[in-house]
Amino acid sequence: MADEAVQAEYIAVKALENGVTIIGLTRGRDTKFHHTEKLDKGEVMIAQFTEHTSAIKIRGRAEVYTKFGVITTSI
Amino acid sequence: MADEAVQAEYIAVKALENGVTIIGLTRGRDTKFHHTEKLDKGEVMIAQFTEHTSAIKIRGRAEVYTKFGVITTSI
Amino acid sequence: MADEAVQAEYIAVKALENGVTIIGLTRGRDTKFHHTEKLDKGEVMIAQFTEHTSAIKIRGRAEVYTKFGVITTSI
Amino acid sequence: MADEAVQAEYIAVKALENGVTIIGLTRGRDTKFHHTEKLDKGEVMIAQFTEHTSAIKIRGRAEVYTKFGVITTSI
Amino acid sequence: MADEAVQAEYIAVKALENGVTIIGLTRGRDTKFHHTEKLDKGEVMIAQFTEHTSAIKIRGRAEVYTKFGVITTSI
Amino acid sequence: MADEAVQAEYIAVKALENGVTIIGLTRGRDTKFHHTEKLDKGEVMIAQFTEHTSAIKIRGRAEVYTKFGVITTSI
Amino acid sequence: MADEAVQAEYIAVKALENGVTIIGLTRGRDTKFHHTEKLDKGEVMIAQFTEHTSAIKIRGRAEVYTKFGVITTSI
Amino acid sequence: MADEAVQAEYIAVKALENGVTIIGLTRGRDTKFHHTEKLDKGEVMIAQFTEHTSAIKIRGRAEVYTKFGVITTSI
Amino acid sequence: MADEAVQAEYIAVKALENGVTIIGLTRGRDTKFHHTEKLDKGEVMIAQFTEHTSAIKIRGRAEVYTKFGVITTSI
Amino acid sequence: MADEAVQAEYIAVKALENGVTIIGLTRGRDTKFHHTEKLDKGEVMIAQFTEHTSAIKIRGRAEVYTKFGVITTSI
Amino acid sequence: MADEAVQAEYIAVKALENGVTIIGLTRGRDTKFHHTEKLDKGEVMIAQFTEHTSAIKIRGRAEVYTKFGVITTSI
Amino acid sequence: MADEAVQAEYIAVKALENGVTIIGLTRGRDTKFHHTEKLDKGEVMIAQFTEHTSAIKIRGRAEVYTKFGVITTSI
């Protein structure tokens, strides 16, 4: 494992409804969905960028905590 | 062990009810649950990202202390 | 994988309408589209620069969160 | 020993009653209890993350000093 | 690829009219145009300096976001 | 000796009564007491984390100076 | 290519009239003109120092954005 | 000698009475007194942590200058 | 070329009259003039220290932008 | 010589009377006086920690400039 | 050439009269004059410390710009 | 030469009378005078710590510019 990986940045997502989806997209030549995590209302997930994930997509009503502040998905 | 691992970022979780669940998700090609820790009301857990954990999911009423501030799960 | 890659900067995009397009352009001698991601209204995407992506183009009504602040595409 | 280990972050715990328990959880593929330290009322313990400890659990009435501020366990 | 490349600085450009042109100029002994990207009104492009691009020229009405602030091209 | 060891963080303890005990706990797989230092009232001790000490326990009335501020043991 | 090159500092130039000239001077034992770029009124150019350019000369009415602030050429 | 040793942190002690004692405790598996320095009233001593000293004990009326501020021993 | 060279500090000079002279002096055992650049009124030059230039002399009415602020030559 | 040695921290001492003594104590297993410097009233001495000096003792009326502020010896 | 040399600190000198002298003193076992530069009134010179210069002496009415502020020689 | 040497800290001395003496003391096992520089009234000298100089003594009426502020020798 790359030594720096444990120090990668993380984001946090708080689900505001059931079924919020957090989708990890693959790093590398191809950008594909490689993991989907479902959150129920009120659950919090904290996730780092990794060797395998360089992009994250959030669907459903949620608060996304980033270095730019809190971004509320709006549906 | 990776030298930088001991200096990885940590978060803190304070359980506001019995049975709060902190779930570690595996780093790497597959993202799976690899550890589940239960907290009783009032207990505090402090956890680093590690070589094996790149995402953490919190279920149940709890305060999650992150670099973005305190995120209260809401149920 | 380059060790520093997991620590590359990221941006965030929030779609303000259906069909917002986030296009990754290839790093290297040739600059070509290598990935297109569609966002529906309200979805949020967080993306790092990678070994394969050194430029990102955003089409459609969206908020783009960067180190310069929020840039609203305007159509 | 990893050179950086001596510079790992530390937390502090002050027991507000007898029998406060500080539990070290193992780093690595398996997350198990590897050490339990009991504090009597008024005692203070200062502990680093180490090669063997990547998570710490606190039970009983105590103040936990972290980079997020003081978290008071509540029972 | 140079390891630091993914961490190079980026700028952002927002087109204020159709046909804004972003031109990448080659790094190295010769300074030539190597890529031209067209933006339509309202589109945003975010671009890093790369191993191949050490200068960027912007033509047409646009806002250019740099570490010096926003520079508005004026025509 | 690890080169970084001389630059490890330090704490300070000021005894507010005779017989304050500062206990060094061993780093490594086993966490055991490896040193006990007694302070008389008014004495000050300054101690670094070391290759052999990753946790410190303070018993008796004392002020403990840490990066979180001064923690007063209370008996 | 030197790894740090992509992280070299950049300046920005905004032309306030047609025919503004940005001249790159060679790094090394001899200091010679190696590239001349013409900007039309309103165009913006962003340029890094490179392995080949250690000095830049600006002729014609322009705003030069540097770490010292904006320097307006005056004619 | 370890290269970083000359850059280790230092503390300062000002004696407020004759016979103030500054005791260096050994780094390493055993923690023993390895040096005792006596200060007369008004004298100032400045001391670094070293390869041989990882803890310092101060006896007698003195001001101890540390990164936490000035700690006055009290007798 | 030394890798750090592209990241050397730069200064800026704005000529307030025709014929301002910027003289590069050689780094190394001998300190000699190795390059002379003439600026006309209103022109701006931005120059890094290089492997060959460790001192710069400015003659004629000009503003010299340095990390100490703007120094106006006075004639 | 250790490369970092030239960048070690320094302190300054200003003598407020004749005969102020600045004593360098040896780094290493033994802590002995290895140099004594006398200052006359009003003289200033600036001294780095070195490979040979890890502690400094000041006797006589003087101002000692440290990172903790100015400590005045008092006799 | 040492890689860091191009990033050494610089000072600036502005001559307030004709014949201001800037003298470079040699680094190394012997400290000798190795270069003398004359400035006429109003001229500005910017000079780095180098492998050959570790001290600089300024004679004549001048402003010396340093990290401590502007020091005006006074005659 | 040690690479870091050119980046060592510097101090500045301004002589307030003729005959101010700046004395360089040798780094290493023996601390001896190795260079004496005389300043006349109003002259300014800027000097780095070097591989050969780890302490500097100033005699005569002068202002000594250090990271602790300006220390005026007083006679």
Side-chain angles (χ1 to χ4, degrees):
Chain A
M1 196 197 66
D3 279 3
E4 285 84 3
V6 291
Q7 295 177 336
E9 284 204 74
Y10 67 83
I11 62 158
V13 179
K14 174 179 171 176
L16 299 180
E17 64 178 4
N18 286 337
V20 166
T21 313
I22 301 172
I23 303 160
L25 286 90
T26 54
R27 184 184 298 279
R29 203 165 297 274
D30 298 311
T31 306
K32 292 183 287 197
F33 286 15
H34 76 93
H35 183 74
T36 298
E37 193 67 37
K38 290 274 182 188
L39 294 190
D40 282 338
K41 186 179 180 184
E43 288 184 349
V44 169
M45 183 157 172
I46 294 165
Q48 286 183 306
F49 288 107
T50 69
E51 286 174 284
H52 300 282
T53 306
S54 66
I56 297 167
K57 202 167 165 173
I58 297 101
R59 287 194 175 134
R61 282 218 311 132
E63 290 170 357
V64 185
Y65 293 79
T66 72
K67 65 180 172 185
F68 308 116
V70 185
I71 306 172
T72 307
T73 65
S74 53
I75 295 179
Chain B
M1 196 197 67
D3 279 2
E4 286 83 3
V6 291
Q7 295 176 337
E9 284 203 74
Y10 67 83
I11 62 159
V13 179
K14 174 179 171 176
L16 300 180
E17 64 178 5
N18 286 338
V20 166
T21 312
I22 301 172
I23 302 160
L25 286 90
T26 54
R27 184 184 299 278
R29 203 165 296 275
D30 299 311
T31 307
K32 292 182 287 195
F33 286 16
H34 77 92
H35 183 74
T36 298
E37 193 67 37
K38 291 274 183 187
L39 294 190
D40 282 339
K41 186 178 179 185
E43 288 184 350
V44 169
M45 183 158 172
I46 294 165
Q48 286 183 307
F49 289 106
T50 69
E51 286 174 284
H52 300 282
T53 306
S54 67
I56 297 167
K57 202 167 164 174
I58 296 103
R59 287 193 175 136
R61 282 218 311 132
E63 290 171 356
V64 185
Y65 293 79
T66 72
K67 65 180 172 185
F68 307 115
V70 185
I71 306 172
T72 307
T73 65
S74 53
I75 295 179
Chain C
M1 196 198 65
D3 280 2
E4 286 83 3
V6 290
Q7 295 177 336
E9 284 203 73
Y10 66 83
I11 62 157
V13 179
K14 174 178 171 177
L16 300 180
E17 64 177 5
N18 286 338
V20 166
T21 314
I22 301 172
I23 303 159
L25 286 90
T26 53
R27 184 184 298 278
R29 202 166 298 273
D30 297 312
T31 305
K32 292 183 288 196
F33 286 16
H34 76 93
H35 184 73
T36 299
E37 193 68 37
K38 290 274 183 188
L39 294 190
D40 281 339
K41 186 178 180 186
E43 288 183 349
V44 169
M45 183 157 173
I46 294 165
Q48 287 183 306
F49 288 107
T50 69
E51 287 175 283
H52 300 282
T53 306
S54 65
I56 298 167
K57 202 167 164 173
I58 297 101
R59 286 194 175 134
R61 282 219 310 132
E63 290 170 357
V64 185
Y65 294 78
T66 71
K67 64 180 172 185
F68 307 116
V70 184
I71 306 172
T72 307
T73 65
S74 52
I75 294 180
Chain D
M1 196 198 67
D3 279 2
E4 286 84 2
V6 291
Q7 294 176 337
E9 283 203 75
Y10 67 83
I11 62 159
V13 179
K14 174 179 171 175
L16 300 180
E17 64 178 4
N18 286 338
V20 166
T21 313
I22 301 172
I23 302 160
L25 286 90
T26 53
R27 185 184 298 278
R29 204 165 296 274
D30 299 311
T31 307
K32 293 182 287 195
F33 286 17
H34 77 92
H35 183 74
T36 299
E37 193 68 36
K38 291 275 182 188
L39 294 190
D40 282 339
K41 186 178 179 183
E43 289 183 350
V44 170
M45 183 158 172
I46 294 165
Q48 286 183 307
F49 289 106
T50 69
E51 286 174 284
H52 300 283
T53 306
S54 67
I56 297 168
K57 203 167 165 173
I58 296 102
R59 287 193 174 136
R61 283 219 311 131
E63 291 170 356
V64 185
Y65 294 79
T66 72
K67 65 180 171 184
F68 307 115
V70 185
I71 306 172
T72 307
T73 65
S74 52
I75 295 179
Chain E
M1 196 198 67
D3 280 2
E4 286 84 2
V6 289
Q7 296 177 336
E9 284 204 74
Y10 66 84
I11 62 159
V13 179
K14 174 178 171 177
L16 300 180
E17 63 178 4
N18 286 338
V20 166
T21 313
I22 301 172
I23 303 160
L25 286 90
T26 53
R27 184 184 299 279
R29 203 167 297 274
D30 297 312
T31 305
K32 292 183 287 197
F33 285 16
H34 76 93
H35 183 74
T36 299
E37 193 68 38
K38 290 275 183 189
L39 294 190
D40 281 339
K41 186 178 180 184
E43 289 183 350
V44 169
M45 183 158 173
I46 295 166
Q48 287 183 305
F49 288 106
T50 69
E51 287 175 283
H52 300 283
T53 307
S54 65
I56 297 167
K57 202 167 166 173
I58 297 102
R59 288 195 174 133
R61 283 220 310 132
E63 289 170 357
V64 185
Y65 294 78
T66 72
K67 64 180 173 185
F68 308 115
V70 185
I71 307 172
T72 307
T73 65
S74 52
I75 295 179
Chain F
M1 195 199 66
D3 279 2
E4 286 84 2
V6 291
Q7 295 177 337
E9 283 203 75
Y10 67 83
I11 62 159
V13 179
K14 174 179 172 175
L16 300 180
E17 64 177 3
N18 286 339
V20 166
T21 313
I22 301 172
I23 302 160
L25 285 90
T26 53
R27 185 184 298 277
R29 203 166 296 273
D30 299 310
T31 306
K32 292 182 289 194
F33 286 17
H34 77 92
H35 183 73
T36 299
E37 193 68 36
K38 291 275 183 188
L39 293 190
D40 281 339
K41 186 178 180 183
E43 289 183 349
V44 169
M45 183 158 172
I46 294 166
Q48 286 183 307
F49 288 107
T50 69
E51 286 175 284
H52 299 283
T53 306
S54 66
I56 297 168
K57 203 167 164 174
I58 296 102
R59 288 193 174 136
R61 284 219 309 132
E63 290 170 356
V64 185
Y65 294 78
T66 71
K67 65 180 171 185
F68 308 115
V70 185
I71 307 172
T72 308
T73 66
S74 52
I75 296 179
Chain G
M1 195 198 68
D3 280 2
E4 286 84 1
V6 289
Q7 295 177 336
E9 284 203 73
Y10 66 82
I11 62 159
V13 179
K14 174 178 171 176
L16 300 180
E17 64 178 3
N18 286 338
V20 166
T21 313
I22 301 172
I23 303 159
L25 286 90
T26 53
R27 185 184 298 278
R29 202 166 297 273
D30 297 312
T31 305
K32 292 182 288 196
F33 285 16
H34 76 93
H35 184 74
T36 299
E37 193 68 37
K38 290 275 184 189
L39 294 190
D40 281 339
K41 186 178 180 184
E43 289 184 349
V44 169
M45 183 158 173
I46 295 166
Q48 287 183 305
F49 288 106
T50 69
E51 287 175 283
H52 300 283
T53 306
S54 66
I56 297 167
K57 203 167 165 175
I58 297 102
R59 288 196 174 133
R61 283 220 311 133
E63 289 169 357
V64 185
Y65 294 79
T66 71
K67 64 179 173 186
F68 308 115
V70 185
I71 307 172
T72 307
T73 65
S74 51
I75 295 179
Chain H
M1 195 199 66
D3 279 2
E4 287 83 2
V6 291
Q7 294 177 338
E9 283 203 75
Y10 67 83
I11 62 158
V13 179
K14 174 179 172 176
L16 300 180
E17 64 177 3
N18 286 338
V20 166
T21 313
I22 300 172
I23 302 161
L25 285 90
T26 53
R27 185 185 298 278
R29 204 166 296 274
D30 299 311
T31 306
K32 293 182 288 196
F33 285 18
H34 77 92
H35 184 72
T36 298
E37 193 68 37
K38 291 275 183 187
L39 293 190
D40 282 338
K41 187 178 179 184
E43 289 184 350
V44 169
M45 183 158 173
I46 294 166
Q48 286 183 306
F49 288 106
T50 69
E51 287 175 282
H52 300 283
T53 305
S54 66
I56 297 168
K57 203 167 164 175
I58 297 101
R59 288 194 174 134
R61 284 218 310 132
E63 290 170 356
V64 185
Y65 294 78
T66 72
K67 65 180 171 185
F68 307 115
V70 185
I71 306 172
T72 307
T73 66
S74 52
I75 295 179
Chain I
M1 195 198 68
D3 280 2
E4 286 83 2
V6 289
Q7 295 177 336
E9 284 204 73
Y10 66 83
I11 63 159
V13 179
K14 174 178 172 177
L16 300 180
E17 63 178 4
N18 286 338
V20 166
T21 313
I22 301 173
I23 303 159
L25 286 89
T26 53
R27 185 184 299 278
R29 203 166 296 273
D30 298 312
T31 305
K32 293 183 288 196
F33 285 16
H34 76 93
H35 183 74
T36 298
E37 192 68 37
K38 291 275 184 189
L39 294 191
D40 281 339
K41 186 178 180 183
E43 288 184 350
V44 169
M45 182 159 175
I46 294 166
Q48 287 183 304
F49 288 106
T50 69
E51 288 175 282
H52 299 284
T53 306
S54 66
I56 297 167
K57 203 167 165 174
I58 297 101
R59 288 195 174 133
R61 282 218 313 131
E63 289 170 356
V64 185
Y65 293 79
T66 72
K67 65 179 172 186
F68 308 115
V70 185
I71 307 171
T72 307
T73 65
S74 52
I75 295 179
Chain J
M1 195 198 66
D3 279 3
E4 286 82 3
V6 290
Q7 294 177 337
E9 284 202 75
Y10 67 82
I11 62 159
V13 179
K14 174 179 171 175
L16 300 180
E17 63 177 5
N18 286 338
V20 167
T21 314
I22 300 173
I23 303 161
L25 285 90
T26 53
R27 184 185 299 278
R29 203 165 296 273
D30 298 311
T31 306
K32 292 183 287 196
F33 285 17
H34 77 92
H35 184 73
T36 298
E37 193 68 36
K38 291 274 183 188
L39 294 191
D40 282 338
K41 187 178 178 184
E43 289 184 350
V44 169
M45 182 158 173
I46 294 166
Q48 286 183 306
F49 288 106
T50 69
E51 287 175 283
H52 299 284
T53 305
S54 66
I56 297 167
K57 203 168 164 174
I58 297 101
R59 288 193 174 135
R61 283 218 310 132
E63 290 170 357
V64 185
Y65 294 78
T66 71
K67 65 180 170 185
F68 308 115
V70 185
I71 307 171
T72 308
T73 65
S74 52
I75 296 179
Chain K
M1 195 198 67
D3 279 2
E4 286 83 3
V6 290
Q7 294 177 337
E9 284 202 74
Y10 67 82
I11 62 160
V13 179
K14 174 179 171 176
L16 300 180
E17 63 177 4
N18 286 338
V20 166
T21 314
I22 301 173
I23 303 160
L25 285 89
T26 53
R27 184 184 299 279
R29 202 166 296 274
D30 298 311
T31 305
K32 292 183 289 196
F33 286 15
H34 77 93
H35 183 74
T36 298
E37 192 68 37
K38 291 275 184 188
L39 294 190
D40 281 338
K41 187 178 180 184
E43 288 183 351
V44 169
M45 182 158 174
I46 294 166
Q48 287 183 305
F49 288 106
T50 69
E51 288 175 283
H52 299 284
T53 306
S54 66
I56 297 167
K57 203 167 164 174
I58 297 102
R59 289 195 174 134
R61 283 218 312 131
E63 289 170 356
V64 185
Y65 294 78
T66 72
K67 65 179 172 185
F68 307 115
V70 185
I71 307 171
T72 307
T73 65
S74 51
I75 296 179
Chain L
M1 195 198 67
D3 279 3
E4 286 83 3
V6 290
Q7 294 177 337
E9 283 203 75
Y10 67 82
I11 62 160
V13 179
K14 174 179 170 175
L16 300 180
E17 63 177 4
N18 286 338
V20 166
T21 313
I22 300 173
I23 303 160
L25 285 90
T26 53
R27 184 184 299 278
R29 203 166 297 273
D30 298 311
T31 306
K32 292 183 288 196
F33 286 16
H34 76 92
H35 183 73
T36 298
E37 193 68 36
K38 291 275 184 188
L39 294 190
D40 282 338
K41 187 178 179 184
E43 288 184 351
V44 169
M45 182 157 173
I46 294 166
Q48 286 183 306
F49 288 106
T50 69
E51 287 175 284
H52 299 284
T53 306
S54 66
I56 297 166
K57 203 167 164 173
I58 297 102
R59 288 194 174 135
R61 283 217 312 131
E63 289 171 356
V64 185
Y65 293 78
T66 72
K67 66 180 171 184
F68 307 115
V70 185
I71 306 172
T72 308
T73 65
S74 52
I75 296 179

